[in-house]
Amino acid sequence: MSRIWPRTAAAASLVVAGAGAAVVVGWPVLRMVSQAIAAVATTGVVPGLGRTLAVSLALAVVVTVIGTAVGLALALTARTLSRGWRRVLDASIGGLLLVPPYVVAAAVVAVGGRGGLLTGILPDVYGALGMTLAMVVAHLPIPYLTIRMAWREVDPRLVEMSRVTGARATEVIRLVLLPPLRVPLAVSTALLFVSALSDPSIPAVLRGRMPTLAHTAYIEVIAWGGESTAALIAVLLTLPVLPLLLAMWRRREAGALVDPWQGHGASPRLVLPRSILVHGCRVLSVLVLAVVLLLVLASAATMIRARGSLLTPTMMDVIGSTVRYALVALLLAVPVGLMTAWASDRGGTRLARGVDLLQTSLLLMPGTTLGIAIFLAYGFETPTPFGQLPALVGGASLASGSVALVAVFMAPAVPMVHLAARAGQRRVPRALHETAGVLGAGRRRITLQLVVPQTGALVAATAAAVVARNIVSVSPVVFVSTPDAPMVASFALDLLDRAALEQTFALTGIVALVVGGASALVASASAAALGARARSS
């Protein structure tokens, strides 16, 4: 009886969580796909989007190639630096996670746009050039951090042995450093491509006369029209993710995105043979840091030259509203993520793999697709067997759109918490579980003294990252935000429409300070407390 009860409870938990996911994500996505198919069959929307699709694909490919190459060069440089300089590079590139893409685009305008610092020197930044630069800088943490994580497993003794045997730097990179990057590099490339393809905020600032899919869908949604076009674009934005999902489902292990959550110690410095390639990576890293510094200085100079007030009561209200919704979504997402992780662990290997893959699939869904799907499904009253469901999107909807905002915040938060909890479970060897049980330790004691110290720090750090991500993210929140519940992203895009660059930079600076400080405090405090508890136990 004691063995049957956990499995029954786990199955019931997964059924409840699955029903919630079907309502929040499954039904909107299915309805969106049906609308897209109907649009292709009846109205012939595809020819009208042909040029936009071609431009968007070309832009995403260029950004992916450049971003992957730059991320690889930065990661290689980081592994050859001392720990202090490596932390500087990690902070400089990783700190871009706290900067929304539209702020990078605004900084590009502050440098080379009309009235920018270097307007007379640089070419026109509106169009392909400006969007490419902004997208590469904004999404650079994706390839950089992925490659840095993958290279933590490289044994420095292999590099040293290669140097002793006279191998050149290109041979060390090809034979030692590149093999561990096969899966992580494929994942990061796909994520970078999808991020560049589905970002509506940078084209909103720098597109010029170049149309893009994501921005076209954004215009259709905020204008409350063109539902068929928005649905078709959302489906097109999801297609690049399907090969990655298929490859992950065909793998025996579902750890392609679970393993990075497990964490590692400080990676040792690699001493590579001197070559033009290594020096070229260092030069490229210096150039990238110079570009980032130039964008920061241009933003600061724009705020200094501002004649009006940078901070307004409306701005503070928007920040407070966004933080409250992000915290509410976190309070709901953490229990759900922990429940699915616990149920996966109790349900057996096959069930755990399936749940992990479903959570990973939800995490990889483009935010633009999710936002459009929820807007199309719940923007109006929905008939159900129990009556009419009130609209959930819009100022006149149920709770002034709060339900939809919490839903879009929870959708990526639950998979992140789940993966963090599952990684913490995997850090405790199964043999240690069995040994503790043989020695008479009960289930509760094993959980509190073995699993919680390993899982708690990861979950707490992930929770802080979830809040940061929700506050600074553009999609899907801009597709369901309302005037009664203003969000930072939608408010900043309104400021940029009025060319209020200085207020946009001030808003982002406050958000970055709040999010970065709170995240660092929560993560360090939880890690220290749980680490002390693990040592005492």
Side-chain angles (χ1 to χ4, degrees):
M1 183 67 180
S2 59
R3 294 183 178 180
I4 298 177
W5 164 244
R7 290 182 177 272
T8 304
S13 301
L14 292 178
V15 168
V16 174
V23 173
V24 175
V25 179
W27 159 245
V29 170
L30 290 177
R31 181 170 178 176
M32 177 193 68
V33 172
S34 65
Q35 287 185 267
I37 295 174
V40 175
T42 58
T43 61
V45 181
V46 176
L49 293 177
R51 179 175 179 271
T52 304
L53 176 60
V55 170
S56 299
L57 290 176
L59 180 64
V61 169
V62 172
V63 171
T64 301
V65 172
I66 297 176
T68 302
V70 173
L72 186 62
L74 287 170
L76 180 64
T77 301
R79 289 306 308 269
T80 60
L81 297 176
S82 60
R83 182 174 300 180
W85 287 109
R86 196 186 312 163
R87 289 178 177 176
V88 173
L89 186 59
D90 289 343
S92 302
I93 305 302
L96 294 174
L97 292 173
L98 300 178
V99 181
Y102 54 81
V103 176
V104 179
V108 172
V109 173
V111 172
R114 302 177 184 92
L117 295 179
L118 304 176
T119 302
I121 302 176
L122 298 177
D124 187 12
V125 297
Y126 295 97
L129 179 62
M131 285 194 294
T132 300
L133 175 61
M135 287 184 177
V136 169
V137 174
H139 303 301
L140 187 57
I142 296 176
Y144 174 74
L145 295 178
T146 303
I147 296 172
R148 286 277 287 117
M149 279 287 188
W151 275 349
R152 284 177 179 267
E153 301 292 343
V154 175
D155 191 348
R157 292 174 294 184
L158 295 177
V159 179
E160 183 66 23
M161 187 181 303
S162 302
R163 292 178 62 244
V164 171
T165 57
R168 293 174 296 181
T170 53
E171 295 175 339
V172 174
I173 294 174
R174 180 173 59 87
L175 299 176
V176 179
L177 297 181
L178 289 183
L181 292 184
R182 292 175 181 174
V183 175
L185 197 59
V187 173
S188 67
T189 301
L191 291 178
L192 182 58
F193 180 81
V194 173
S195 299
L197 186 65
S198 61
D199 181 15
S201 60
I202 290 179
V205 181
L206 293 170
R207 71 187 184 280
R209 297 182 178 180
M210 288 185 58
T212 62
L213 286 177
H215 184 260
T216 301
Y218 173 68
I219 295 299
E220 296 291 345
V221 168
I222 63 173
W224 287 80
E227 295 182 9
S228 299
T229 303
L232 180 58
I233 291 176
V235 173
L236 293 176
L237 294 177
T238 311
L239 292 180
V241 187
L242 297 182
L244 176 61
L245 294 178
L246 180 61
M248 294 184 63
W249 278 90
R250 295 185 64 179
R251 286 172 57 90
R252 294 183 178 180
E253 295 292 335
L257 291 182
V258 177
D259 292 338
W261 260 260
Q262 296 191 38
H264 303 277
S267 54
R269 177 185 178 186
L270 298 181
V271 182
L272 298 177
R274 294 185 178 181
S275 69
I276 298 177
L277 179 61
V278 176
H279 289 296
C281 290
R282 291 198 173 192
V283 171
L284 182 59
S285 301
V286 172
L287 292 177
V288 172
L289 292 179
V291 170
V292 174
L293 180 61
L294 178 61
L295 296 177
V296 173
L297 293 178
S299 304
T302 302
M303 288 189 292
I304 292 175
R305 292 183 301 178
R307 298 180 180 179
S309 175
L310 293 177
L311 303 179
T312 62
T314 303
M315 186 182 300
M316 304 309 295
D317 292 340
V318 168
I319 295 175
S321 174
T322 307
V323 172
R324 286 194 298 271
Y325 280 105
L327 291 177
V328 170
L330 177 67
L331 294 177
L332 295 175
V334 168
V336 176
L338 293 178
M339 180 182 67
T340 56
W342 170 82
S344 301
D345 186 58
R346 297 297 181 191
T349 303
R350 182 174 298 180
L351 179 62
R353 178 181 180 275
V355 176
D356 290 344
L357 286 172
L358 286 174
Q359 296 279 18
T360 303
S361 303
L362 180 60
L363 186 61
L364 292 177
M365 179 183 296
T368 300
T369 299
L370 178 63
I372 294 174
I374 292 181
F375 170 82
L376 296 178
Y378 298 120
F380 303 95
E381 292 185 350
T382 304
T384 67
F386 308 99
Q388 291 282 9
L389 176 67
L392 304 180
V393 179
S397 64
L398 180 66
S400 299
S402 301
V403 176
L405 287 171
V406 173
V408 297
F409 278 154
M410 285 185 61
V414 171
M416 292 179 68
V417 174
H418 171 89
L419 293 176
R422 292 285 292 143
Q425 293 172 350
R426 293 172 62 173
R427 291 177 67 176
V428 181
R430 178 61 59 181
L432 190 59
H433 270 279
E434 296 175 353
T435 302
V438 170
L439 294 177
R443 190 185 304 274
R444 181 177 302 177
R445 187 173 182 180
I446 293 175
T447 301
L448 293 178
Q449 296 189 1
L450 293 181
V451 180
V452 170
Q454 297 291 337
T455 306
L458 288 175
V459 172
T462 303
V466 165
V467 175
R469 181 190 185 280
N470 285 337
I471 293 176
V472 303
S473 64
V474 178
S475 302
V477 65
V478 294
F479 293 95
V480 297
S481 61
T482 65
D484 295 335
M487 295 288 105
V488 168
S490 56
F491 181 72
L493 290 178
D494 290 340
L495 291 176
L496 291 175
D497 284 340
R498 302 195 300 267
L501 298 180
E502 62 281 354
Q503 290 188 349
T504 304
F505 294 141
L507 173 67
T508 305
I510 296 174
V511 171
L513 289 175
V514 172
V515 171
S519 300
L521 181 62
V522 170
S524 60
S526 60
L530 292 169
R533 178 172 181 176
R535 289 191 298 270
S536 63
S537 60

